Amino acid sequence: MTRQLTYAAALREGLDLCLQHDSRVYVMGLGVPDAKGLFGSTLDLARVHGSTRVRDMPTAENAMTGVALGSALVGMRPVLTHQRVDFALLAVEQMVNQVAKWHYMFGGQQPVPLVIRMVIGRGWGQGPQHAQSLQAWFAHVPGLKVVMPATPYDAKGLLIASVEDDNPVISLEHRWLYGVSGPVPEGVYRTPIQQARIARSGNDVTVVATSYMVLEALRAADELALRGVSCEVIDLRTVAPLDEATLLESCRKTGRLVVADTGATSFGVGAEIVARSTERCFSDLRAAPARVGLPDCPAPSAPSLAAEYYPRSHAIVQACHRVLGLPAPAPEAASSHPLDVPDPDFTGPF
Amino acid sequence: MKRDRELLYDLLVVRSVEQEIARRYSEQQMRCPTHLCIGQEATAVGVCAALRPEDVVFSGHRSHGHYLAKGGDLTAMLAELYGRGSGCSAGKGGSMHLVDLSVGFLGAVPIVGSTIPMAVGAALGFLLQKLPRVSVVFFGDAAVEEGVTWESIDFALLERLPVVFVCENNLYSVQTPLSARQPAGRTIAQVAAGHGVETESVDGNDVFAVQRAARAAVDRARAGGGPTFLELATYRHLEHVGPNEDVSLGYRSAEEVEAWRARCPVEHATRVLLERGELDASELDELRRRILRDVRHALELARDAPEAQGSLLSDVFASTVSPIDGDQR
Ligand SMILES: Cc1ncc(C[n+]2csc(CCOP(=O)(O)OP(=O)(O)O)c2C)c(N)n1
Ligand SMILES: [Mg+2]
């Protein structure tokens, strides 16, 4: 059997390889060398590679993003980390005005090889400012690539591909994935950017999912299979630029589309994917597509409210029923475990 | 270091370029916001004279002088203002986005304060690569009101980075005077010094003094002594953006403008060299004529170059990858 690693360990191994093989790579972020090592993804790397290459940093997100950019302009390949995407909002000026546009606005002379890893998530009362899922914002800005690995394999493969890419790459990592395990080959390999993965093939309905919602979509597919519905689950992996080919091919095959995203439904990734597929293959669609995502309110802290806020596999099952023209499914069965911590059934291997 | 005569030459070039741009701007062929540095030439020329070719410079919206003083290509800059494909940024940037990598002018952008952390980052890159290079950033008095400036200075201090912060204090942010923006009773230099960064205040219209101060800062940075903050007192003669005088707007008095015009950096350097006998009036005339001829020639080349075309969607992304294990992919 292939070696199993957690998502966090896979990320750590990817960083370790990048640091080993390319002296221009350095990793920087608040708490990167500390005992928790960014949810385990940077554990011990400072000891191995030294604290100049695996660096802590001041709580000055905006300037440090500019610092990373400036260092990239003179030949470095920084990996910048933020413990929450919410904190990185202080650096939107640098990310959106500068990092994203640098290559274009100076006529393509200066590439910006910069990876910005940011944690998204949910649960344990994280609330309004520790749990946002802002991939649509970043994807909206030309010049940024946006990846959202869902499996340990892709966490490592996309990280290496992102470090090697001569463009800025925003990587959004869902907190609930760090403990999930799955097969991870040793050594250097890449998951191509802008290439979605068919996580499960099927014929009746396409479910395009991002990040943690891939796990929810796979569970929904299991449940639908019991009712004879064959669900194709696409793990988007890269949000921008979009892998339109894989998306459209699947839509043409099944004629039915559901998108399950970790972010807000309105103006979100699901909106873009639904728009794209209806524009490009309207006549192949046999029903109006459906979106599963967050409602139009900030993330609440109380577990009872959060339970209502975050969609789970049942919401995907419901959406599939809708696009398939099936009667609404029975209400969600009461969960045997709390909903504000990662689902123990989702620890893999995947 | 440049000799005094070279400094004067550079001042005359920058002044001449800016005057010629001002003269042509109303033809409406340079169709981008353009911030001229007439009156402030000595900060650019004095600081860049203290640099080596491999040192790097970043700047902001008022960057023509910095670009030219670092050795940036004149025709490519003018072509950029004209929106030509041969512009230094291929027509994607305009006057506010100048770059010339061949001379270490790594970029100028018009978000106030935004290039300050980048200059610090370049200095960090030099340190990590053990390159004996210095990074310089030019910014105005408004940038000291931005948080990113102090975040950047703190990090440069923390890591003792080889960077020089050059604040061109021309007293205004667009039309808003310092008194409406910063607490009374303290200078920008005092604020910087309070942060613990080595600071010097210099007459920014005295190119010789600017070069001296910059040289000390650059030497210190290169020797591992960390960053320096230079506050250079200077004054913009024309309106904030565009080619016109602006006393009629009423935000500054005619007397104030006149007083600063009397302290013109180009006239100051000229006077010094004439008085010292290092230059005579006919040489000066000849120099000015030659420079004007060259500038007009560059302007014509730029104006007659083809418009940027067919490149709208190109260069959003670089098409290259750099494999960590060196295999070509
Ligand atoms: C972050 C930001 N805020 C506001 C502006 C609008 N703006 C453009 S130039 C300028 C004045 C800047 O003044 P200063 O830094 O002193 O430079 P000067 O124009 O005097 O050379 C302002 C406020 C901007 N470009 N960026
Ligand atoms: Mg000013």
Side-chain angles (χ1 to χ4, degrees), chain A residues 21 55 60 63-64 66-67 70-71 74 77 93-94 98 102-107 109-110 143 164 166-167 190, chain B residues 88-89 92 97-99 111 114 117-118 121 129 151 159 312 314-315 317-318 320-325 329:
Chain A
H21 285 291
R55 317 171 60 90
M64 296 316 293
V67 165
S71 74
V74 300
R77 302 182 78 83
E93 195 285 300
Q94 286 290 325
Q98 313 304 341
W102 202 269
H103 188 257
Y104 184 85
M105 73 189 172
F106 292 117
Q109 299 175 67
Q110 270 277 61
E164 292 185 334
D166 283 343
N167 293 288
R190 296 101 187 158
Chain B
C88 62
S89 297
K92 301 274 176 64
H97 294 276
L98 301 182
V99 68
I111 303 297
S114 196
M118 296 174 206
Q129 294 170 82
E151 293 178 21
E159 302 287 336
L312 175 67
S314 66
D315 295 325
F317 291 114
T320 48
V321 292
S322 304
I324 53 169
D325 47 2
R329 283 201 289 146

Side-chain angles (χ1 to χ4, degrees), chain B residues 111-147:
Chain B
I111 303 297
V112 168
S114 196
T115 45
I116 297 175
M118 296 174 206
V120 172
L124 176 67
F126 294 152
L127 199 75
L128 291 172
Q129 294 170 82
K130 302 190 168 58
L131 294 169
R133 298 186 188 171
V134 176
S135 175
V136 172
V137 58
F138 290 95
F139 51 90
D141 45 292
V144 306
E145 291 144 30
E146 299 286 1

Side-chain angles (χ1 to χ4, degrees), chain B:
Chain B
M1 289 286 273
K2 286 195 171 170
R3 291 185 326 220
D4 292 351
R5 246 185 107 112
E6 296 173 281
L7 293 176
L8 175 62
Y9 178 83
D10 288 354
L11 288 173
L12 291 169
V13 169
V14 177
R15 172 65 56 95
S16 175
V17 170
E18 296 292 70
Q19 282 177 333
E20 287 302 294
I21 292 172
R23 209 165 60 78
R24 302 287 183 100
Y25 196 75
S26 58
E27 293 169 5
Q28 305 209 2
Q29 296 299 305
M30 300 176 194
R31 305 179 75 85
C32 57
T34 299
H35 304 77
L36 300 174
C37 69
I38 293 175
Q40 307 188 183
E41 296 89 343
T43 54
V45 169
V47 170
C48 290
L51 299 177
R52 295 181 185 165
E54 67 270 25
D55 294 333
V56 300
V57 168
F58 290 85
S59 176
H61 56 287
R62 199 177 305 286
S63 70
H64 297 179
H66 311 139
Y67 171 99
L68 293 170
K70 188 65 171 75
D73 186 90
L74 172 60
T75 309
M77 174 183 120
L78 295 170
E80 190 60 34
L81 270 64
Y82 275 118
R84 305 309 187 211
S86 57
C88 62
S89 297
K92 301 274 176 64
S95 163
M96 300 191 291
H97 294 276
L98 301 182
V99 68
D100 190 338
L101 299 182
S102 68
V103 297
F105 190 82
L106 294 195
V109 305
I111 303 297
V112 168
S114 196
T115 45
I116 297 175
M118 296 174 206
V120 172
L124 176 67
F126 294 152
L127 199 75
L128 291 172
Q129 294 170 82
K130 302 190 168 58
L131 294 169
R133 298 186 188 171
V134 176
S135 175
V136 172
V137 58
F138 290 95
F139 51 90
D141 45 292
V144 306
E145 291 144 30
E146 299 286 1
V148 74
T149 303
W150 304 105
E151 293 178 21
S152 304
I153 288 173
D154 280 347
F155 184 67
L157 283 166
L158 180 73
E159 302 287 336
R160 281 176 90 82
L161 296 177
V163 54
V164 182
F165 302 99
V166 183
C167 177
E168 299 173 312
N169 182 359
N170 65 7
L171 308 175
Y172 292 91
S173 172
V174 193
Q175 298 183 36
T176 308
L178 269 174
S179 61
R181 300 184 284 124
Q182 296 181 26
R186 65 173 210 203
T187 65
I188 289 172
Q190 283 169 339
V191 180
H195 264 256
V197 61
E198 184 76 29
T199 301
E200 196 177 345
S201 300
V202 182
D203 175 358
N205 284 2
D206 176 348
V207 72
F208 312 113
V210 171
Q211 179 178 236
R212 267 195 309 278
R215 181 59 196 261
V218 167
D219 284 352
R220 214 173 139 256
R222 212 184 304 280
T228 302
F229 187 105
L230 299 177
E231 182 190 359
L232 308 181
T234 186
Y235 200 77
R236 145 172 75 71
H237 289 183
L238 302 181
E239 59 189 333
H240 168 67
V241 56
N244 304 307
E245 317 244 326
D246 71 351
V247 172
S248 63
L249 295 177
Y251 72 93
R252 52 184 189 176
S253 68
E255 294 73 44
E256 181 181 292
V257 177
E258 266 329 297
W260 278 95
R261 277 181 182 273
R263 294 174 54 188
C264 167
V266 183
E267 281 170 25
H268 171 262
T270 308
R271 205 163 46 238
V272 168
L273 288 185
L274 287 173
E275 278 166 12
R276 283 202 220 133
E278 288 183 37
L279 187 77
D280 65 32
S282 69
E283 277 177 298
L284 180 66
D285 276 351
E286 172 55 23
L287 206 56
R288 285 204 166 112
R289 247 197 317 277
R290 219 174 60 221
I291 289 170
L292 185 60
R293 191 195 58 212
D294 291 350
V295 170
R296 288 193 170 160
H297 179 62
L299 262 164
E300 276 155 31
L301 285 177
R303 192 197 52 208
D304 297 344
E307 281 183 314
Q309 224 146 41
S311 57
L312 175 67
L313 295 177
S314 66
D315 295 325
V316 175
F317 291 114
S319 55
T320 48
V321 292
S322 304
I324 53 169
D325 47 2
D327 36 289
Q328 290 308 307
R329 283 201 289 146

Side-chain angles (χ1 to χ4, degrees), chain A residues 36-211:
Chain A
K36 292 198 171 167
L38 199 66
F39 301 98
S41 67
T42 60
L43 272 184
D44 219 27
L45 289 175
R47 193 186 54 76
V48 179
H49 298 283
S51 59
T52 34
R53 295 188 66 206
V54 182
R55 317 171 60 90
D56 220 317
M57 75 173 202
T59 319
E61 292 79 6
N62 193 24
M64 296 316 293
T65 305
V67 165
L69 166 57
S71 74
L73 297 178
V74 300
M76 302 304 293
R77 302 182 78 83
V79 178
L80 181 65
T81 68
H82 298 286
Q83 292 162 342
R84 297 284 187 286
V85 69
D86 316 63
F87 311 156
L89 296 190
L90 279 88
V92 163
E93 195 285 300
Q94 286 290 325
M95 292 190 284
V96 173
N97 283 330
Q98 313 304 341
V99 167
K101 295 171 178 56
W102 202 269
H103 188 257
Y104 184 85
M105 73 189 172
F106 292 117
Q109 299 175 67
Q110 270 277 61
V112 177
L114 166 61
V115 180
I116 307 181
R117 291 179 51 203
M118 293 183 262
V119 179
I120 60 174
R122 72 196 240 189
W124 201 254
Q126 298 281 326
Q129 298 177 353
H130 275 59
Q132 293 175 81
S133 205
L134 298 174
Q135 53 271 27
W137 283 28
F138 295 109
H140 190 68
V141 178
L144 296 178
K145 298 188 177 183
V146 182
V147 301
M148 299 184 81
T151 62
Y153 180 95
D154 287 333
K156 179 177 165 186
L158 275 171
L159 180 68
I160 293 174
S162 301
V163 167
E164 292 185 334
D165 200 295
D166 283 343
N167 293 288
V169 180
I170 304 286
S171 176
L172 297 167
E173 300 163 8
H174 198 287
R175 226 184 132 186
W176 280 13
L177 292 171
Y178 287 113
V180 165
S181 63
V184 177
E186 304 197 30
V188 175
Y189 67 90
R190 296 101 187 158
T191 295
I193 292 174
Q194 199 182 2
Q195 196 178 99
R197 173 181 73 103
I198 312 281
R200 171 182 178 131
S201 59
N203 297 312
D204 299 332
V205 56
T206 297
V207 178
V208 178
T210 57
S211 186

